[in-house]
Amino acid sequence: MSHIIFKSASKPETGEGIQYHLRIKPGDVSRYVLLPGDPERVKKIASYWDEAWFVASHREYTTYTGKYKGVLISATSTGIGSPSTAIAVEELARVGADTFIRVGTTGSLHKHIGIGDIIISTGAVRLEGTSKQYIIPEYPAVASYEVVLALIEAAETLNVKYHVGLSASTDSFYVGQERPGYRDYMPPFNKGLINFLKQANVLNFEMEASTIFTLSNIYGLRAGMVCAVIANRETEEFVAEAGVDEAIKVANEAVKILSEWDELKRKKNKRYFSISLLIGRDEGK
Ligand code: URA
């Protein structure tokens, strides 16, 4: 596609609403969108759906939509890192998505969080630059409690080993995660980073969650993250793709659960999900 005319330089979408980077328009995606980094992983995610159709592919962004257990669901790749991820969130929100689940891979900082386990993030340390272009550094990058709860519920249902807690999102896979750079380069300000974060009870390194969480909070959207542990920074193990299928299954199932809870909220005219919506509760007892 060449010479597409967009509405304006500051609003790069076509008259039909096709977004400049993702090449998606309103009606193309579900309100629930899974966000892997890798375009190939979008197809893997969609392979677990009852039906799936290709929506668009442009640069690092591939989008599929389909049905999982009867629920309309989409997946869009973000590419690696926060700048491209922020673009994905921006353009998906513009076409109607309001709930994001990052599905990715991660490096555990703790021995007991082993290769192949999954991590459900409640929030992320903002060790990246993109979210700082949106808001002051003190603004928290927290996940939506509804998405966190749905991911935990999904992991329990599927009997997958999971951990819940804080992540740290960096802009750099190597030096920014205290991996030696080329020729063993390591700036003094990153020496000891792993130990420091471990002491602060941060579970893992990854590269996108804090931006997804920060933008989602700013815009009043919901977001969560489930990642497969492929690296352990204490034991030095590294196994590509370990736990990825489990993380994908948990994310898909969490969408089904969220859709049920959203329907309950709608029926009971509630803005927020609470346990009593599921089990009922005797007032005053
Ligand atoms: N992704 C990361 O960002 N870090 C890791 O160690 C593994 C996956």
Side-chain angles (χ1 to χ4, degrees):
M1 282 207 275
S2 58
H3 293 103
I4 307 172
I5 313 265
F6 290 89
K7 271 188 201 159
S8 74
S10 48
K11 199 161 189 195
E13 61 180 34
T14 67
E16 239 190 312
I18 297 175
Q19 304 297 306
Y20 171 57
H21 297 90
L22 272 61
R23 300 291 157 96
I24 55 172
K25 60 181 185 315
D28 279 346
V29 299
S30 165
R31 64 180 294 197
Y32 308 105
V33 183
L34 305 189
L35 298 174
D38 180 358
E40 283 305 308
R41 203 162 286 145
V42 174
K43 293 179 209 158
K44 193 164 192 181
I45 290 169
S47 73
Y48 287 100
W49 299 346
D50 317 323
E51 48 176 324
W53 50 93
F54 170 80
V55 174
S57 188
H58 184 235
R59 302 172 73 135
E60 60 266 71
Y61 305 108
T62 294
T63 299
Y64 275 70
T65 293
K67 290 264 178 79
Y68 174 77
K69 297 188 177 174
V71 179
L72 193 70
I73 185 169
S74 296
T76 296
S77 53
T78 60
I80 295 177
S82 287
S84 62
T85 300
I87 289 172
V89 171
E90 286 284 355
E91 296 189 0
L92 283 161
R94 283 164 167 73
V95 303
D98 69 5
T99 304
F100 301 109
I101 301 180
R102 163 161 159 68
V103 193
T105 55
T106 192
S108 157
L109 305 181
H110 303 262
K111 203 173 181 172
H112 74 279
I113 303 180
I115 299 288
D117 290 0
I118 67 166
I119 292 178
I120 295 166
S121 186
T122 53
V125 185
R126 295 168 53 198
L127 298 181
E128 36 73 32
T130 304
S131 71
K132 293 182 185 99
Q133 300 211 322
Y134 279 77
I135 191 83
I136 50 173
E138 292 82 3
Y139 190 88
V142 285
S144 149
Y145 78 96
E146 294 186 347
V147 179
V148 172
L149 208 52
L151 286 165
I152 292 173
E153 196 56 41
E156 286 286 341
T157 305
L158 297 168
N159 204 18
V160 167
K161 188 169 177 207
Y162 66 96
H163 308 263
V164 181
L166 293 173
S167 304
S169 309
T170 68
D171 267 345
S172 150
F173 178 84
Y174 287 98
V175 170
Q177 295 185 7
E178 209 186 347
R179 282 190 178 90
Y182 180 54
R183 290 184 171 146
D184 279 341
Y185 175 73
M186 183 58 63
F189 49 82
N190 278 342
K191 282 189 184 147
L193 180 65
I194 292 176
N195 246 337
F196 163 64
L197 292 172
K198 247 171 74 175
Q199 279 181 47
N201 206 18
V202 172
L203 305 189
N204 63 303
F205 276 135
E206 59 76 67
M207 297 180 70
E208 292 83 15
S210 64
T211 293
I212 298 170
F213 295 168
T214 303
L215 269 61
S216 294
N217 280 304
I218 290 172
Y219 294 142
L221 310 172
R222 300 183 297 188
M225 184 210 84
V226 55
C227 276
V229 175
I230 61 161
N232 187 298
R233 301 304 302 281
E234 206 168 331
T235 64
E236 284 293 355
E237 296 160 280
F238 195 118
V239 183
E241 296 298 305
V244 167
D245 283 287
E246 284 71 22
I248 289 173
K249 286 181 198 166
V250 166
N252 280 328
E253 193 62 26
V255 166
K256 169 72 180 156
I257 292 166
L258 275 171
S259 78
E260 288 170 3
W261 292 352
D262 288 341
E263 181 57 16
L264 264 181
K265 288 188 321 192
R266 195 191 60 75
K267 277 193 187 143
K268 304 231 168 146
N269 202 21
K270 293 282 183 190
R271 182 157 178 206
Y272 300 108
F273 174 76
S274 65
I275 306 297
S276 56
L277 283 183
L278 288 181
I279 57 173
R281 187 167 158 268
D282 276 349
E283 289 297 326
K285 278 196 179 167

